[in-house]
Amino acid sequence: MNAAIARAQELMGFTNGSDEEREMAEIADAVKVYEDSIAMLRGVGERAADQSSEDGNS
């Protein structure tokens, strides 16, 4: 992920309709998928912890 962010910083200042703009959009999409995946995993972990507490398994 660090490489994607570094590349995005290199692309700052792109012109509309350029290859750089398309690459930046692809990086943004990849970061969004990554963030969504992390959020989903956190939610699963939190639900599992809640379930464990309800079952008396701390």
Side-chain angles (χ1 to χ4, degrees):
M1 186 55 57
N2 291 335
I5 292 173
R7 180 62 182 145
Q9 290 173 337
E10 292 171 7
L11 293 172
M12 293 303 223
F14 58 81
T15 57
N16 290 337
S18 66
D19 288 341
E20 290 82 4
E21 179 184 34
R22 286 185 286 282
E23 185 177 352
M24 182 67 93
E26 291 172 4
I27 290 171
D29 290 345
V31 169
K32 176 75 171 122
V33 168
Y34 174 79
E35 289 175 340
D36 290 349
S37 297
I38 296 298
M40 181 192 67
L41 291 172
R42 283 187 182 135
V44 168
E46 290 170 0
R47 286 191 301 276
D50 289 346
Q51 183 66 38
S52 180
S53 296
E54 292 171 5
D55 293 342
N57 302 324
S58 356

